[in-house]
Amino acid sequence: MGCEVFVYQEVMLDMGQHQEEFLISLLVALGLGIACGLALPGLPFVPLVIVLIGLLVWAAWGICRGSKQVWPAFLLAAFFLGLLRLQSSMLLPPDDISHFAGKELRVAGRLTEAPQVKARSDGSISVRYCLQAEKVRPGKEEEQSASGTLYVYARFAQEEAAARPQIGDTLIVRGSLRLPHGFHNPGQIDTEMLLRSQGITATLIATKGGLTAKALPASEVSAWTSLLRRLAAVREHYLSSMQAVMPKEDAAAIFAMLFGGYQGLKPELLEFFATVGVIHLLSVSGSHISLLAAVMAWLGSTLRLPKMARVVLVISVIAIYSMLAGLVPPVIRSALMGGLAFLALALDREKDARRLLLLTGLFMLAISPLLLFHISFQLSFAATAGLLYVAPVARDWLQAHSVPPLLSAGLAVTFGAHASTIPLMAWYFNQLSLSAFLANIVIVPLVELIIVIGIAAGLVALVLPLVGAVAYAGDSLLLGLVYELSRCMAALPGSQVWIPSLGWQAAVAYYVALAFMVLREPWRQQVRAELCARKMYLLVPLATLIAFGIGYRLSQADKLTFSIIDCGQGDAACLQTAHGKAILFDCGGERDGNEPGAFNTGERVIVPYLRHYGINKVEAIFLTHAHADHAGGAGAVLKKLPVGSVYTADEGREAYAQSMGIGSADPLLQKLQPVQEGAVFEVDGVRIEVVYAPPLTVKGAESGNEASNVYRIVYGNASFLITGDLTKENEKVILEKGSNIRCTVLKVGHHGSNTSSSEEFLEAAGPSYAAICVGANNNFGHPKAEVLERLQGIGAKILRTDQNGEIKFCTDGKTMRVETYVE
């Protein structure tokens, strides 16, 4: 008995001495379980529960018996917990609103957030509502109960939106219900998963006049709803007070610094902040929480408050600020991670800060496993971990090399945050800001001052409006200084560098190396000794892996890739030659025209896609015609990347300038030149033929789909045919001319519309594969059933961007391999 007690104490002592390592391993196991749960959907629930219970019993028995297998038992339990939590979080109740997707219906529900309003250039406004569904009536069916949360989008004339519904009011909306759908390309943020992690399972576009609001009676307003309404009113007070004394764009920027959000910001400010690595300052993050905590801690010290009183003050201010920021999930996460970490550090408990971070991560993922796939959580957690684990090591190293303490602290914080997020930044953005080291020393303190003054000014303005206005005016001047400093830093040579995307294997290797760097010396020595003792066993698999990688690279040396990019209801394709030269065929376009602040497909989809694959220069762009869904994104490509020539249809530069959102006098338009039918271009053994290019004299070619050029790409025995929005009438013209349109891959005309793809044209082309660029749930009903039937009739394998995401064709000119982003 005494021996068992001794062993039990030894096991518990071992776990107690290595608490951080134990918590890290649990967090990794839980994350792996969640990731595997997503990769292996449909696992049986009951057996998983039985296995989890068995593992917990095993762990409990091991603790009682003092077994050395306690740690593995807990790790396996964490892994299976991740599997279970992911499976359960992906299940939706039978009455969830998403089950009615694809139908015209009427939804009634409660407003859960303040409406998000955006003014448009035509004087109308767009509004987004967040609605908790309660009742639904599909078509003429009976009304039935519903659950789940959805976003509702509506547009109003300015005079129609004078009275806005409040949180808790009932909205009755008619419109078309859709499932959320993003762009499925490598490195693209998973919109569906992001919204799902926020509880959003559907979206609805309200018909004109199809939205009615019913105010919640005062007697039914709960205390919680009343609090949310008051907080929304306080935020509105801040914004209106700022707009009264400064330009609206300045007010939007300072409001974003205080409470988060990019609405109404200057695009240039966003770009400059992103370039110098301080874009996180425009959203509520852990840095905001730490700043407020630091100010309150300083105030408490100045007032000589006892330590516990300072702790209460800091926690209270963080809680109040979180409520003012709307208590949305990102704010709560930041408050938990940033607040707990700061408190532990302020109390000289650095180890406790790290443990608190790990416990917070475990708790948040166990409660909401989909956070693992949320970019905000990924960056926030990784950056905070970098501040707690990497920054102290970097600070000690800098001080050991005679760097002044204040400077070493600032540099170490920047290095820690960057070093811990490099794989994430590489995957999502492919950029690293070198100017961030300078920006964190110069710009960040100024922004922190803006935040402190802004919060104080809003409170003062409630009592002394004039004093608050003066403070806001000073804030506006500080913002101007920050704008100029960020502009100058963004213009510095090498302020932002491209970094290659890392696969999960490379990311794991990177974090293992980073962990080794920050290991405590005893552990580092032990790991080093173990590696040296087994170096021969490690060198063989490492050499094999390197040889395999080199062999794979050599096998791809003569491969051409032709990728259809998922850009929604638009066309875009990228050709990469065997020597890495890139050529674009159409570039997608803006979802909302050239509306200020609209989603720019070129900037948000095409350019990130190119950077993900290491494409930093485009040899040429071939545009089929000037419609915005084909040419609109080219404007962003021209502005962001070096581009050789842009070959167009014969519609005139003015038409392309309008689609691209480029001024008619912009020098970039000099790159545009119409191509002549019959022209041939040779690049790295790839032949690009201009099969059809109607001149302006052809009826209908001055604008519209009739102007579409047709390009044929030939590489060995493989060929690709790009038809733009070519109409059946023009297809007939091509056939009458006897042009060679035989192809291995056909980019189907006009997104699968029945105005294209005649049976005669398809038979003449004879493709093995038919790729359709089409947006999910589009309003046009593309692709049409008749077109799909004709494609099936010629034996072509049909691939669609709305179902398959990116479609990549790889060929050496003899064989063809097809890969899709969504299996």
Side-chain angles (χ1 to χ4, degrees):
M1 182 68 180
C3 182
E4 290 181 357
V5 172
F6 174 76
V7 174
Y8 167 77
Q9 291 175 341
E10 185 180 12
V11 171
M12 297 308 293
L13 180 62
D14 180 66
M15 293 177 63
Q17 289 176 337
H18 303 294
Q19 286 182 10
E20 279 187 53
E21 292 81 1
F22 178 63
L23 291 174
I24 290 172
S25 61
L26 282 182
L27 187 59
V28 171
L30 180 64
L32 283 174
I34 294 170
C36 289
L38 186 66
L40 302 169
L43 291 175
F45 192 80
V46 175
L48 288 177
V49 173
I50 294 173
V51 171
L52 178 59
I53 293 173
L55 288 169
L56 292 175
V57 171
W58 176 26
W61 177 84
I63 291 175
C64 294
R65 301 286 297 175
S67 172
K68 294 286 188 178
Q69 297 178 346
V70 171
W71 198 320
F74 273 114
L75 292 185
L76 287 172
F79 177 82
F80 278 92
L81 176 63
L83 280 175
L84 275 169
R85 288 297 300 122
L86 192 283
Q87 295 283 332
S88 60
S89 66
M90 295 299 287
L91 294 175
L92 294 173
D95 64 345
D96 188 85
I97 190 67
S98 61
H99 296 310
F100 300 92
K103 297 181 178 180
E104 294 289 329
L105 43 73
R106 188 186 74 166
V107 180
R110 300 278 183 178
L111 195 63
T112 61
E113 297 177 5
Q116 301 292 312
V117 182
K118 183 173 70 174
R120 299 175 58 85
S121 58
D122 60 1
S124 65
I125 63 169
S126 297
V127 186
R128 190 195 76 185
Y129 305 94
C130 188
L131 200 66
Q132 178 65 46
E134 295 178 344
K135 297 288 183 181
V136 62
R137 183 179 179 182
K140 296 181 179 180
E141 299 177 23
E142 292 293 323
E143 186 175 69
Q144 52 191 290
S145 62
S147 64
T149 307
L150 69 153
Y151 279 147
V152 174
Y153 297 91
R155 186 181 296 183
F156 304 97
Q158 190 71 43
E159 60 273 9
E160 293 177 323
R164 298 179 192 169
Q166 299 185 74
I167 296 172
D169 287 349
T170 296
L171 289 187
I172 301 173
V173 194
R174 294 191 307 274
S176 175
L177 192 74
R178 303 174 179 178
L179 295 177
H181 193 90
F183 302 98
H184 296 150
N185 301 305
Q188 203 82 40
I189 294 174
D190 190 335
T191 303
E192 296 101 302
M193 192 61 72
L194 186 146
L195 291 176
R196 186 67 176 273
S197 68
Q198 297 171 355
I200 307 297
T201 59
T203 61
L204 186 143
I205 310 297
T207 58
K208 187 175 182 180
L211 189 147
T212 306
K214 292 184 178 180
L216 183 66
S219 59
E220 298 180 17
V221 177
S222 66
W224 178 249
T225 300
S226 178
L227 174 62
L228 292 177
R229 287 183 174 185
R230 289 179 182 275
L231 293 173
V234 172
R235 290 195 298 275
E236 186 63 31
H237 155 74
Y238 270 91
L239 184 58
S240 59
S241 299
M242 287 187 281
Q243 290 176 339
V245 296
M246 65 178 76
K248 286 189 176 181
E249 289 179 331
D250 285 7
I254 295 176
F255 186 83
M257 292 175 184
L258 298 183
F259 305 116
Y262 298 147
Q263 191 173 332
L265 294 176
K266 283 183 181 179
E268 298 85 357
L269 181 65
L270 279 172
E271 185 176 350
F272 295 154
F273 270 38
T275 301
V276 301
V278 294
I279 190 70
H280 62 280
L281 296 174
L282 297 176
S283 58
V284 177
S285 62
S287 60
H288 286 65
I289 303 298
S290 297
L291 169 63
L292 286 177
V295 171
M296 290 302 104
W298 170 81
L299 180 62
S301 299
T302 302
L303 297 175
R304 297 182 179 180
L305 297 176
K307 180 176 286 188
M308 286 310 299
R310 294 201 301 271
V311 169
V312 171
L313 176 63
V314 170
I315 292 176
S316 300
V317 169
I318 289 175
I320 293 171
Y321 176 73
S322 300
M323 288 191 290
L324 282 175
L327 283 176
V328 292
V331 173
I332 297 172
R333 291 197 298 270
S334 298
L336 283 171
M337 288 192 284
L340 290 174
F342 177 85
L343 283 175
L345 290 173
L347 296 173
D348 298 321
R349 304 293 294 270
E350 190 173 288
K351 289 184 179 180
D352 288 346
R354 295 197 291 261
R355 292 177 188 134
L356 282 171
L357 174 68
L358 296 170
L359 285 170
T360 303
L362 281 167
F363 174 77
M364 294 173 72
L365 288 180
I367 296 298
S368 181
L370 293 180
L371 284 178
L372 183 66
F373 311 105
H374 197 300
I375 183 175
S376 173
F377 175 81
Q378 293 169 0
L379 290 174
S380 180
F381 187 86
T384 306
L387 297 179
L388 295 176
Y389 284 95
V390 182
V393 176
R395 181 194 61 215
D396 294 343
W397 186 90
L398 289 169
Q399 290 182 357
H401 288 75
S402 304
V403 178
L406 186 61
L407 181 59
S408 64
L411 292 174
V413 165
T414 305
F415 175 78
H418 273 66
S420 60
T421 56
I422 279 178
L424 297 171
M425 299 297 290
W427 180 257
Y428 290 116
F429 308 112
N430 295 108
Q431 291 181 333
L432 181 65
S433 177
L434 297 181
S435 55
F437 291 93
L438 180 59
N440 274 272
I441 295 173
V442 178
I443 292 179
V444 170
L446 290 174
V447 173
E448 290 174 345
L449 182 59
I450 289 174
I451 292 172
V452 172
I453 293 175
I455 292 175
L459 296 175
V460 171
L462 292 170
V463 183
L464 300 170
L466 181 60
V467 177
V470 172
Y472 276 138
D475 240 10
S476 182
L477 293 174
L478 278 175
L479 178 65
L481 176 61
V482 166
Y483 179 88
E484 290 301 319
L485 287 171
S486 61
R487 181 180 64 81
C488 293
M489 289 184 189
L492 292 173
S495 62
Q496 195 173 57
V497 296
W498 173 83
I499 50 177
S501 300
L502 302 178
W504 68 266
Q505 302 94 331
V508 169
Y510 174 86
Y511 279 121
V512 167
L514 188 64
F516 179 77
M517 188 188 83
V518 301
L519 274 178
R520 289 176 291 183
E521 192 56 36
W523 277 79
R524 194 183 306 174
Q525 290 177 358
Q526 184 176 346
V527 171
R528 192 182 291 116
E530 292 287 338
L531 291 175
C532 290
R534 294 170 173 78
K535 58 184 177 183
M536 292 307 298
Y537 298 101
L538 296 173
L539 285 176
V540 172
L542 182 61
T544 304
L545 188 63
I546 293 173
F548 176 80
I550 294 173
Y552 177 77
R553 285 289 184 183
L554 291 174
S555 70
Q556 303 297 309
D558 61 344
K559 294 287 181 67
L560 169 146
T561 62
F562 183 79
S563 304
I564 307 292
I565 305 170
D566 180 10
C567 59
Q569 187 67 12
D571 274 21
C574 177
L575 181 149
Q576 275 189 283
T577 69
H579 295 100
K581 292 183 178 179
I583 300 170
L584 291 175
F585 292 84
D586 284 341
C587 296
E590 287 77 2
R591 294 189 306 196
D592 211 7
N594 291 319
E595 185 70 27
F599 184 96
N600 187 305
T601 305
E603 184 177 341
R604 302 280 293 278
V605 178
I606 308 301
V607 172
Y609 178 90
L610 297 175
R611 285 178 172 157
H612 180 84
Y613 283 110
I615 298 171
N616 295 307
K617 179 184 177 182
V618 177
E619 295 297 317
I621 299 176
F622 287 83
L623 299 175
T624 57
H625 63 300
H627 276 180
D629 58 334
H630 291 253
V637 177
L638 286 167
K639 293 174 183 177
K640 298 287 185 180
L641 297 173
V643 177
S645 299
V646 181
Y647 301 105
T648 70
D650 194 20
E651 297 160 285
R653 287 179 176 172
E654 189 62 38
Y656 286 94
Q658 184 175 355
S659 291
M660 297 178 188
I662 295 178
S664 57
D666 196 308
L668 289 174
L669 291 177
Q670 299 303 315
K671 293 179 179 287
L672 274 63
Q673 52 183 298
V675 290
Q676 300 298 315
E677 187 172 314
V680 176
F681 302 84
E682 295 274 355
V683 183
D684 285 349
V686 180
R687 179 183 174 91
I688 302 172
E689 304 169 354
V690 183
V691 175
Y692 183 65
L696 278 174
T697 54
V698 174
K699 182 181 178 181
E702 65 276 1
S703 65
N705 300 330
E706 294 80 2
S708 285
N709 287 353
V710 176
Y711 304 109
R712 183 170 179 261
I713 305 160
V714 182
Y715 185 63
N717 295 327
S719 55
F720 307 84
L721 192 65
I722 315 297
T723 60
D725 286 348
L726 189 70
T727 62
K728 289 180 180 177
E729 292 77 13
N730 287 20
E731 290 175 356
K732 184 178 180 181
V733 172
I734 292 175
L735 294 176
E736 290 173 349
K737 289 182 176 182
S739 302
N740 183 5
I741 59 170
R742 296 297 294 182
C743 60
T744 314
V745 178
L746 171 67
K747 199 294 295 175
V748 177
H750 202 181
H751 322 290
S753 168
N754 202 28
T755 60
S756 303
S757 304
S758 66
E759 188 171 349
E760 297 78 10
F761 187 83
L762 294 179
E763 288 178 351
S768 300
Y769 301 93
I772 306 176
C773 295
V774 63
N777 308 312
N778 65 83
N779 295 324
F780 309 99
H782 295 161
K784 294 296 184 179
E786 304 93 320
V787 174
L788 295 177
E789 186 176 334
R790 291 199 288 268
L791 290 170
Q792 291 168 348
I794 62 169
K797 181 176 180 180
I798 300 172
L799 299 165
R800 301 166 46 170
T801 54
D802 63 332
Q803 296 178 353
N804 304 110
E806 175 209 34
I807 307 165
K808 181 184 291 187
F809 300 92
C810 304
T811 179
D812 57 1
K814 301 173 184 177
T815 60
M816 181 79 72
R817 187 179 80 253
V818 184
E819 301 173 0
T820 59
Y821 188 69
V822 179
E823 297 297 334

